[in-house]
Amino acid sequence: MNSIPVTENVIQLTRLRFVNAYLVREPDGFTLVDTTTGGAAAALLAAAEERGAPVRRIALTHGHGDHVGSLDALKERLGESVQVFMPELDARIHAGERIVDGKLPGAWPKLSTVPDVRLDDGDRVGSLEVVLTPGHTPGYVAFLDTRDGTVIAGDTFTTYGRVAVDSHFYLRFPFAAMASWHKSITIESARRLRSLDPTMLLVGHGPATRGPAPVMDQAIARAVGAPAEAIAKPGAARAPDRARS
């Protein structure tokens, strides 16, 4: 597990050289954003211990296996000392509900952990504000660190080779596009993240990007086939009309 501080409050943890999780420092310990793949629990907890604080919360961007893969093992080790936060629609998918028509792409492993809190737009997890960004999955969320404007975007963007919107197939890192559920909704969510003017862009796959606005514009332009200067800053993304209540 490679551990790199990327901001004053956030440490990027990278497993298998391409799957990221994040330790977000709070006064009482760490919020762990995502859990990478299965088998990472011991390494994730060791990374937190090395940085001098326990994991107090687990906040998930979405329900794919490379982000929730070690959730059950972490919950088994930490028990009631840790709260688990998962996006509303993705939690319902893991609970067995049929949220959208058709088969969802990506790996959705069976979980025994039931989230303590189902996340919606504008919720708070410590210093992190929840930003609803559906598309990669129906309930997808990103997290805005309200202290410094860092955005933990998960898979809406990737940063291997260059910054890309995950719905846009990019040969350098094609896996996110292959697992993405809804292209046009993902683009709307990418625009919403850009409208936040993040100081730092952190993603599920790839290195951190400081001052990311220009490359986010370029990535969105490639995804929609428009000049970068034509990219507007839209309002809030929303869950798709096709989602079942």
Side-chain angles (χ1 to χ4, degrees):
M1 184 78 66
N2 192 30
S3 172
I4 303 173
V6 287
T7 75
E8 181 179 353
N9 299 303
V10 181
I11 298 156
Q12 180 174 301
L13 307 176
T14 304
R15 186 167 190 242
L16 304 175
R17 307 182 79 175
F18 75 99
V19 184
N20 297 332
Y22 295 92
L23 291 171
V24 180
R25 193 176 295 277
E26 299 287 358
D28 65 343
F30 285 119
T31 298
L32 174 65
V33 177
D34 291 337
T35 72
T36 76
T37 55
L44 291 166
L45 294 177
E49 183 178 356
E50 289 169 5
R51 297 291 175 174
V55 172
R56 297 297 190 190
R57 289 161 292 276
I58 299 172
L60 302 162
T61 57
H62 65 298
H64 282 167
D66 56 337
H67 294 257
V68 303
S70 288
L71 176 61
D72 283 348
L74 285 164
K75 184 63 175 175
E76 183 176 352
R77 285 171 176 254
L78 296 172
E80 297 304 314
S81 70
V82 66
Q83 271 193 306
V84 175
F85 300 76
M86 183 181 287
E88 168 74 24
L89 290 184
D90 284 22
R92 289 168 58 186
I93 292 167
H94 274 290
E97 293 187 47
R98 187 179 180 189
I99 299 300
V100 298
D101 296 327
K103 179 177 171 57
L104 286 166
W108 293 83
K110 182 176 178 58
L111 296 175
S112 60
T113 301
V114 176
D116 300 288
V117 180
R118 293 184 176 187
L119 296 172
D120 202 352
D121 194 49
D123 289 346
R124 290 288 290 266
V125 183
S127 298
L128 301 178
E129 181 178 338
V130 176
V131 184
L132 183 63
T133 50
H136 187 66
T137 66
Y140 203 99
V141 299
F143 297 101
L144 170 67
D145 191 329
T146 57
R147 295 167 292 191
D148 63 7
T150 294
V151 165
I152 303 176
D155 289 0
T156 300
F157 288 91
T158 61
T159 62
Y160 278 112
R162 67 186 183 190
V163 174
V165 178
D166 79 340
S167 62
H168 181 68
F169 188 86
Y170 177 41
L171 190 58
R172 180 75 180 271
F173 191 78
F175 307 110
M178 294 165 63
S180 190
W181 166 63
H182 198 293
K183 181 175 181 178
S184 62
I185 295 172
T186 299
I187 293 171
E188 183 181 353
S189 291
R191 289 174 178 266
R192 185 181 188 193
L193 292 178
R194 169 62 183 90
S195 76
L196 298 176
D197 285 326
T199 57
M200 177 83 76
L201 177 67
L202 304 178
V203 298
H205 306 284
T209 305
R210 190 179 300 277
V215 290
M216 292 174 79
D217 285 341
Q218 292 163 16
I220 295 168
R222 286 191 294 268
V224 301
E229 58 270 19
I231 299 303
K233 298 179 182 180
R238 58 181 176 84
D241 292 336
R242 290 190 296 170
R244 302 171 189 269
S245 60

